[in-house]
Amino acid sequence: MRRFARAALLCLGCGVCWLLYGLGQLALSLEQEPGGGRERQAPDPAAPGARRQGVGGWAAAGSTGRGEAGAGRYNYMKTHSSEKMHLAVVACGERLEETVTMLRSAIIFSIKPLQFHIFAEDQLHKSFKDILDDFPYEGKINYTLYPITFPTESAAEWKKLFKPCASQRLFLPLILKNVDSLLYVDTDILFLRPVDDIWSFLGKFNSTQIAAMAPEHEEPRIGWYNRFARHPYYGVTGINSGVMLMNMTRIRRKYFKNDMTSVRLQWGEILMPLLKKYKLNITWGDQDLLNIMFFHNPESLYVFPCQWNYRPDHCIYGSNCKEAEEEGIFILHGNRGVYHDDKQPTFRAVYEAIKNYSFGDDLVHSLLRPLELELRKTMHTYCGRVYKVFIKQLTKSIKHLYARRSKGR
């Protein structure tokens, strides 16, 4: 009997040891899996040889050959996502110069390093590479070039939606699977203060918010969505997607309410059904689809003020962005081609000033003062009458930049 008790005690001790070992292995595995504090580095579905997943395969709009951008096209940064700010842009046609000017504006004032994700037609890759490789500030910026890619089975429909490349932004959470957060901007954006400041909105998201955008209009009497839209839209006047800050980890995990099924759908599942249902009723393509999505999921959107996405509509009918009047313009959005015609000379003056600025030159004498002289010439226009809002924040950004430099000496 005593011998039996010893044997039972020995078996029990071995069992406890194995149980403790198993629990230790489980804890270790949870640290390495999503939900355990670290996001899994998933393969890029657009990359050569990648496993098809998400929305069911991808097709490049143009050549998928490696070209001169080649090996770096899918090389993701190896540092932790919090160490760099990720900025994405989609460039097609004759948008090379405009995109480069936007990137220049981001570089001038930003504090933390920048990782650019540039989606462009293959024929533009060499030009981007030649220009960006010649930029100074090595270590402050890094870039990756990508082809234009859409889900294979519906590529033709996505390409012809609004503009040839516009809907690419909808697929960024599915393509950049190992990027946690991302700032997407249109090519016609100019940063008049550090990217760091809009990036900081990520820390202001509550537990349900996955993205941030600005309203389409401040004044409903001139709003487009509330007067003409034939589909649901967010809020009173809709939202503008030209500047879109995203927590992409949350986007990929969320199940969205919708008006197509009682079952909630994930991002990769909802895009094509939305397009099929509303394609005859949408005017602004991917922006309309985002409006529909956030109409049904309003708790998921953080709305930032108009000075973070200041467009001609904010001044051509009289000034209607009060935040810009008080603090200046933080991000300028020259939509409708106003950087390249004479319809809005105030916007064009800012664009030309940043485009022509040479890195390393004195910002006050080479950028700010010449710009103010040009802006004074536009006072015959509605936007020109409030030209000071175009340089109020720019003046502060230059002052703060020089203060940082003097402290760093």
Side-chain angles (χ1 to χ4, degrees):
M1 189 71 180
R2 195 174 296 170
R3 189 177 301 167
F4 175 78
R6 283 199 199 116
L9 190 60
L10 181 61
C11 291
L12 180 62
C14 291
V16 170
C17 290
W18 278 107
L19 178 61
L20 292 174
Y21 175 80
L23 289 173
Q25 292 299 308
L26 178 60
L28 180 61
S29 67
L30 286 175
E31 282 186 358
Q32 296 170 340
E33 290 291 327
R38 301 177 189 175
E39 188 180 359
R40 178 179 294 174
Q41 300 299 301
D44 180 353
R51 181 182 174 187
R52 305 297 190 191
Q53 47 183 297
V55 289
W58 300 79
S63 171
T64 57
R66 290 186 176 272
E68 290 208 33
R73 187 178 294 181
Y74 300 103
N75 283 348
Y76 293 112
M77 49 177 281
K78 296 179 181 179
T79 54
H80 192 276
S81 59
S82 64
E83 295 176 11
K84 287 193 178 185
M85 301 177 294
H86 292 255
L87 187 150
V89 65
V90 180
C92 286
E94 299 180 359
R95 298 281 182 153
L96 174 68
E97 178 195 271
E98 193 172 84
T99 305
V100 170
T101 304
M102 179 276 292
L103 297 175
R104 289 166 58 85
S105 73
I107 293 169
I108 291 172
F109 300 113
S110 294
I111 303 168
K112 284 191 282 189
L114 289 159
Q115 170 73 31
F116 297 138
H117 300 273
I118 304 168
F119 291 78
E121 293 172 308
D122 281 10
Q123 63 267 26
L124 296 177
H125 282 211
K126 185 180 185 303
S127 297
F128 270 117
K129 188 175 187 303
D130 290 344
I131 294 170
L132 295 174
D133 285 350
D134 198 41
F135 274 10
Y137 308 120
E138 185 176 355
K140 181 178 179 180
I141 62 169
N142 190 21
Y143 72 90
T144 310
L145 290 164
Y146 307 82
I148 303 298
T149 53
F150 296 108
T152 305
E153 72 279 3
S154 54
E157 287 193 74
W158 290 113
K159 287 180 201 175
K160 66 184 181 183
L161 180 65
F162 188 48
K163 294 179 181 178
C165 296
S167 58
Q168 177 73 85
R169 84 180 82 184
L170 295 175
F171 300 98
L172 297 182
L174 306 175
I175 296 173
L176 303 176
K177 281 184 173 287
N178 64 342
V179 176
D180 174 71
S181 296
L182 182 76
L183 175 63
Y184 165 85
V185 294
D186 286 345
T187 60
D188 50 11
I189 291 296
L190 293 172
F191 293 93
L192 304 184
R193 68 181 296 171
V195 175
D196 307 64
D197 295 330
I198 190 169
W199 190 259
S200 69
F201 279 114
L202 289 166
K204 299 180 181 180
F205 285 10
N206 65 28
S207 60
T208 67
Q209 290 166 337
I210 64 174
M213 285 179 272
E216 174 68 14
H217 287 283
E218 312 308 308
E219 174 51 67
R221 288 177 296 178
I222 60 173
W224 192 92
Y225 283 108
N226 56 289
R227 292 188 298 157
F228 305 115
R230 295 179 294 163
H231 59 77
Y233 56 89
Y234 179 88
V236 178
T237 60
I239 46 175
N240 184 281
S241 61
V243 180
M244 184 176 178
L245 184 65
M246 295 178 276
N247 183 318
M248 300 212 297
T249 298
R250 290 186 179 184
I251 288 175
R252 288 185 286 262
R253 291 175 179 170
K254 183 174 175 62
Y255 286 84
F256 293 85
K257 300 187 292 288
N258 61 87
D259 58 359
M260 299 168 292
T261 173
S262 59
V263 178
R264 297 190 180 197
L265 301 174
Q266 288 192 288
W267 189 269
E269 302 168 326
I270 201 171
L271 295 175
M272 195 63 211
L274 272 181
L275 177 60
K276 286 182 177 178
K277 178 170 182 176
Y278 288 105
K279 65 181 178 181
L280 298 179
N281 294 322
I282 58 178
T283 302
W284 307 113
D286 52 300
Q287 178 172 290
D288 291 347
L289 295 181
L290 289 168
N291 266 279
I292 296 167
M293 197 175 297
F294 285 108
F295 169 83
H296 293 292
N297 301 270
E299 75 287 349
S300 298
L301 188 68
Y302 181 102
V303 180
F304 46 67
C306 50
Q307 77 265 44
W308 293 98
N309 189 348
Y310 190 95
R311 303 178 301 283
D313 285 346
H314 288 121
C315 56
I316 59 176
Y317 306 111
S319 182
N320 57 54
C321 179
K322 295 189 182 301
E323 290 86 352
E325 292 174 15
E326 296 170 1
E327 302 178 284
I329 298 168
F330 298 165
I331 295 179
L332 193 69
H333 187 175
N335 61 342
R336 302 186 192 132
V338 295
Y339 293 150
H340 312 293
D341 58 33
D342 297 322
K343 294 179 181 178
Q344 298 301 328
T346 314
F347 282 76
R348 183 168 184 170
V350 180
Y351 175 80
E352 293 291 332
I354 293 176
K355 183 187 76 171
N356 295 326
Y357 169 73
S358 296
F359 286 122
D361 284 357
D362 182 83
L363 283 160
V364 175
H365 295 93
S366 298
L367 176 62
L368 183 61
R369 288 181 181 171
L371 173 57
E372 185 170 5
L373 290 175
E374 289 299 315
L375 290 175
R376 289 179 180 275
K377 298 176 185 177
T378 71
M379 292 182 66
H380 61 285
T381 67
Y382 281 113
C383 293
R385 292 176 188 174
V386 293
Y387 79 88
K388 290 185 179 180
V389 305
F390 288 78
I391 56 173
K392 182 178 285 189
Q393 177 57 48
L394 184 63
T395 303
K396 293 179 184 176
S397 296
I398 293 173
K399 179 180 178 181
H400 293 160
L401 175 62
Y402 282 138
R404 291 198 309 270
R405 287 180 180 174
S406 63
K407 286 182 181 178
R409 289 174 183 169

